[in-house]
C-alpha cells in the first residue's frame, strides 16, 4: 500500500466539468433520485422517440431479475455516433488509425465514417442480414472493425466481436452459441510485424459451423488465403456495388446492441448482452466525465475492440461524444519500446488510457525509451483491466506523465458496460493503487462471506445495489445463468466477483477476483476453460488450474496435470500441453507453469481444494490451512516437494 496522496491541482479543478463540490452534489442527486438524474442525463443522446418519465428505470434484482432503462424510447446507436455530428463536425477526424507498421496511419473524418459505415451496412443487408440477427466480427484493429460494429448497429443486427487472438475452436464456440450466419473477418492481422492468420482460423472454425452462410473478408495484408466462392465475399468488391448511404434503423432502447463473450468461474464463456439506449448513455457520459473529454481533444485507448474496453472507450463512448479517437493496431514494444510515446507525439495525444500490464512491461525497459519522446501533449492518463500496483502507478505518474497528469484508475467489467469506480480528474484526490470513488448513480457495498453488509473501513466482497443504465441485461440465451452468476450469492445485490478494501476515506482498493477467474494481463480467463482444454488432450487424466502472482502479467496461469496411468512424464509432453492449450483457446491462455501432479488434493466428496493449490503455486507453504478433510493428505507433500520453478 502507498501513503501518497496527490491533490487535485487548481488548474484541473477549474478546467474540468466537475470539481469536488460538484461531484458531491451530482453524486448525491444521482443516488437520492436516480429516476430524475438519469431522466435528465439520458437526454445527452438523440432519441428518435423520447422515453417517458415512467420508463426511465425499471429494475428488480430479485426473482427473475429485470433490468430496463428508458424502455419506451427509440434510437439508433450508429446515428448517435455518426449522423448527429455531421452538421457540426463532418470534416473533423473521428478515427485516427495507427498501423502496426509505424509508417502507416490514416485519418477518417466523420463524413468518411458515415459513408464507410453505410456501405458496410448495405453490404451486410445484401448478404442477408436483418434486424436482430447476430453477426460475428473477427477482425484486427483496423478501421473496418469500427465500420462493421457501427454497421451492425445501423441495421439493428447484434454484433459479437471475437478477439483476433482467439483460436479457431474458441471462435467456433462463440459463433455457435449465438447462432451467427454471417462472419466478418480479414485475410490477416498484424501484430509486432508478424501476420495473424485470421481467415485461415475462420475457415478452420467454420468446419464446425455449418449454418454460417456468408463471410465478408477485408483485405488488409494481401496475404494468401483459402477461398470458398459460394460463401466468401471480398469487402472491397462488395463495397463498390452499394450506396454510401443507409438509413439507420429505429431501435427500441432495450433492443440488443451487442453480445461479448467473457470468462466466468464455471463452464463455457458467457455471452454478456448489452442493449442500446442505457448502454450508450452510460458509455458516453462516463467517457466525457472520467476523461474530462472536451472538443478538439485527441483521445487514445490502447485496448483491442475484442474486449469491452474497446467497445465502450475506443468506439461507442468517444464517437457518441463526437471525439477524435485513436485506434492502434500494434503492440507497445514494436518496433521498440518507445512506440506508445512516439505515437503520442506523432498524433499529439492528450488523453491516454492503457493497462497496468503494459505499464509494468515498459517500466522494465527503464526511463530512456519514455524520455526520448516529448509527451508534452499529454494531459490525462488512465488505467484499466486489473489492479495497478502503487509502484507501477507512481512510475506511470512520474515518468510518463512528468508528475503533471492525473491518473484515472478505472474499475469496471464487461458486465458493467462502463466505468463504475474511478477518480474524476478535477474532483478526486488520488491515492496510487486505489480506484477511489463511485461514479454517479453507482452504489458499491461491501459484504462479508455470509453476505452481511460491512460499514466504514473494511475488507470484503464488492457488490453493487442500484442499477446503472450500462448494466448487462442477461446472458445471451441463458437468463437463469445470469441470475445464478450475479444475483444468487448475495440475494438482492449484484455480485462483482471482486474482493476489495474500503479505507477510512471511503476509497475503494480492488484486490482482484475472489472466484475462479484468473486475470492475465487484464484478460479474464476461467480456470475451468483451461482445465477442460487440458483434459481434452488424450494423455491427460485430470487437471487443476490456478493463478499465481506474475511480475508483468499481474497473474500467470499455473496448471497441475495428472496424466493417464502408465503415461510417462516428459519435458516434451509438458511443452506439447502448453502448445495444446494455446491452440485450443488462444495464446492468452497458455499456462506459464505446468506441474506434474500424480494426485490432486481432493475432499472426500471429490472437490479439488484449489485453496491449497493456490498456496503451492504462490510458493507459500507455511499456511496451507486445514488439510484434514482431504481424502489423501499425502498428495500435498508430494506437490510441495515437486513445486516447479
Ligand atoms: C474493463 C474490464 C473485469 C475484471 C474486474 C476486475 C478487473 C478491471 C480494474 C480491475 C482493479 C481496476 N479490473 N479494472 N481491477 N482495478 N481498475 O477489464 O473488463 O475484462 O470484464 O474484466 O478486471 O477483477 O472484475 P473485464
Amino acid at each position: 500500500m502507498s501513503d501518497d496522496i496527490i491533490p487535485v491541482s487548481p488548474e484541473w479543478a477549474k478546467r474540468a466539468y466537475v470539481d469536488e463540490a460538484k461531484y458531491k452534489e451530482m453524486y448525491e442527486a444521482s443516488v437520492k433520485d436516480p429516476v430524475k438524474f438519469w431522466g435528465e442525463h439520458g437526454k445527452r443522446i438523440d432519441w428518435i422517440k423520447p422515453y417517458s418519465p415512467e420508463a426511465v428505470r425499471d429494475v428488480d434484482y430479485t426473482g427473475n431479475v429485470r433490468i430496463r432503462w428508458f424502455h419506451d424510447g427509440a434510437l439508433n446507436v450508429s446515428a448517435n455516433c455518426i449522423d448527429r455530428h455531421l452538421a457540426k463536425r463532418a470534416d473533423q477526424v473521428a478515427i485516427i488509425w495507427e498501423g502496426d507498421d509505424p509508417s502507416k496511419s490514416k485519418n477518417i473524418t466523420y463524413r468518411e465514417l458515415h459513408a464507410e459505415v453505410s456501405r458496410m451496412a448495405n453490404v451486410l443487408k445484401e448478404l442477408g442480414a436483418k434486424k436482430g440477427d447476430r453477426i460475428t466480427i473477427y477482425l484486427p484493429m483496423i478501421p473496418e472493425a469500427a465500420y462493421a460494429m457501427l454497421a451492425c448497429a445501423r441495421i439493428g443486427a447484434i454484433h459479437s466481436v471475437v478477439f483476433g487472438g482467439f483460436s479457431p475452436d474458441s471462435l467456433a464456440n462463440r459463433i455457435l452459441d449465438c447462432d451467427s450466419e454471417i462472419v466478418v473477418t480479414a485475410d490477416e492481422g498484424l501484430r509486432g510485424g508478424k501476420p495473424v492468420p485470421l481467415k485461415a482460423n475462420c475457415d478452420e472454425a467454420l468446419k464446425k459451423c455449418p449454418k454460417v452462410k456468408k463471410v465478408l473478408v477485408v483485405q488488409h495484408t494481401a496475404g494468401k488465403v483459402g477461398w470458398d466462392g459460394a460463401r466468401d465475399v471480398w469487402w472491397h468488391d462488395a463495397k463498390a456495388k452499394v450506396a454510401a448511404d443507409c438509413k439507420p434503423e429505429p431501435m427500441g432502447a432495450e433492443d440488443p446492441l451487442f453480445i461479448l463473450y467473457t470468462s466466468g468461474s464455471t463452464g463455457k464463456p458467457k455471452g454478456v448482452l448489452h442493449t442500446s439506449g442505457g448502454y450508450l448513455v452510460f458509455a458516453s457520459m462516463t467517457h466525457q466525465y472520467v476523461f474530462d473529454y472536451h472538443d478538439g481533444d485527441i483521445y487514445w485507448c490502447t485496448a483491442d475492440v475484442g474486449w469491452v474496453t474497446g467497445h465502450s472507450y475506443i468506439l461507442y463512448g468517444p464517437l457518441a461524444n463526437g471525439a477524435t479517437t485513436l485506434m492502434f493496431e500494434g503492440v507497445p514494444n514494436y518496433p521498440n519500446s518507445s512506440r506508445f510515446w512516439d505515437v503520442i507525439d506523432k498524433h499529439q495525444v492528450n488523453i491516454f488510457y492503457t493497462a497496468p500490464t503494459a505499464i509494468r512491461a515498459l517500466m522494465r525497459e527503464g526511463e530512456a525509451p519514455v524520455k526520448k519522446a516529448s509527451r508534452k501533449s499529454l494531459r490525462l492518463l488512465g488505467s484499466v483491466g486489473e489492479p495497478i500496483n502503487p509502484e507501477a502507478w507512481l512510475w506511470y505518474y512520474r515518468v510518463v506523465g512528468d508528475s503533471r497528469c492525473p491518473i484515472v484508475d478505472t474499475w469496471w467489467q464487461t458486465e458493467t458496460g462502463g466505468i463504475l469506480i474511478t477518480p474524476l480528474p478535477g474532483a478526486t484526490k488520488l491515492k496510487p493503487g486505489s480506484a477511489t470513488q463511485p461514479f454517479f448513480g453507482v452504489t458499491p457495498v461491501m459484504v462479508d462471506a455470509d453476505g452481511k453488509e460491512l460499514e466504514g473501513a473494511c475488507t470484503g466482497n464488492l457488490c453493487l445495489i442500484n442499477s446503472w443504465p450500462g448494466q448487462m441485461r442477461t446472458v445471451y440465451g441463458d437468463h437463469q445463468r445470469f441470475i445464478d452468476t450475479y444475483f444468487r450469492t448475495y440475494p438482492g445485490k449484484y455480485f462483482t466477483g471482486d474482493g476489495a478494501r474500503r479505507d477510512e476515506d471511503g476509497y475503494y482498493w480492488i484486490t482482484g477476483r475472489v472466484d475462479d477467474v484468473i486475470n492475465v494481463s487484464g484478460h479474464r480467463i476461467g480456470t475451468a476453460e483451461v482445465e477442460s482444454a487440458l483434459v481434452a488432450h488424450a494423455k491427460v487424466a485430470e487437471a487443476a488450474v490456478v493463478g499465481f502472482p506474475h511480475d508483468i502479467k499481474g497473474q500467470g496461469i499455473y496448471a497441475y496435470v495428472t496424466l493417464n496411468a502408465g503415461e510417462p512424464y516428459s519435458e516434451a509432453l509438458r511443452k506439447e500441453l502448453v502448445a495444446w492449450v494455446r491452440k485450443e483457446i488462444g495464446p492468452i491462455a497458455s499456462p506459464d507453469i505446468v506441474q506434474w501432479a500424480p494426485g490432486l488434493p481432493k475432499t472426500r466428496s471429490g472437490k479439488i481444494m484449489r485453496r491449497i493449490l493456490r498456496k503451492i503455486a504462490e510458493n507459500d507453504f507455511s499456511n496451507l490451512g486445514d488439510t484434514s478433510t482431504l481424502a489423501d493428505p499425502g498428495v500435498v507433500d508430494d506437490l510441495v516437494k515437486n513445486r516447479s520453478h
Side-chain angles (χ1 to χ4, degrees), residues 262 308-309 383-388 409-415 435 496 498 510 512-513 519 522-524:
T262 190
V308 74
T309 307
S383 172
V384 61
E386 53 176 316
I388 179 163
D409 174 4
T410 62
W411 174 85
W412 60 294
Q413 312 177 297
T414 305
E415 293 87 338
T496 63
D498 279 319
I510 311 296
R513 305 289 303 192
N519 191 329
H523 305 319
R524 280 164 67 167

Side-chain angles (χ1 to χ4, degrees), residues 625-637:
D626 182 12
T627 54
S628 62
T629 56
L630 288 177
D632 174 8
V635 299
V636 175
D637 297 336

Side-chain angles (χ1 to χ4, degrees), residues 257-334:
L257 177 62
F258 66 86
I259 299 167
L260 186 56
Y261 287 87
T262 190
S263 294
S265 44
T266 52
K268 54 180 189 161
K270 299 181 280 277
V272 168
L273 184 93
H274 283 287
T275 58
S276 303
Y279 171 80
L280 196 66
V281 167
F282 198 69
S284 68
M285 183 159 173
T286 45
H287 174 261
Q288 180 192 335
Y289 285 90
V290 174
F291 301 107
D292 201 60
Y293 189 88
H294 291 262
D295 257 3
D297 288 347
I298 309 291
Y299 163 88
W300 180 17
C301 164
T302 68
D304 189 286
V305 289
W307 311 113
V308 74
T309 307
H311 283 58
S312 301
Y313 299 114
I314 294 178
L315 209 63
Y316 289 117
L319 294 181
N321 291 338
T324 298
T325 181
L326 194 152
M327 190 174 183
F328 177 47
E329 184 187 16
V331 294
N333 57 359
Y334 177 81

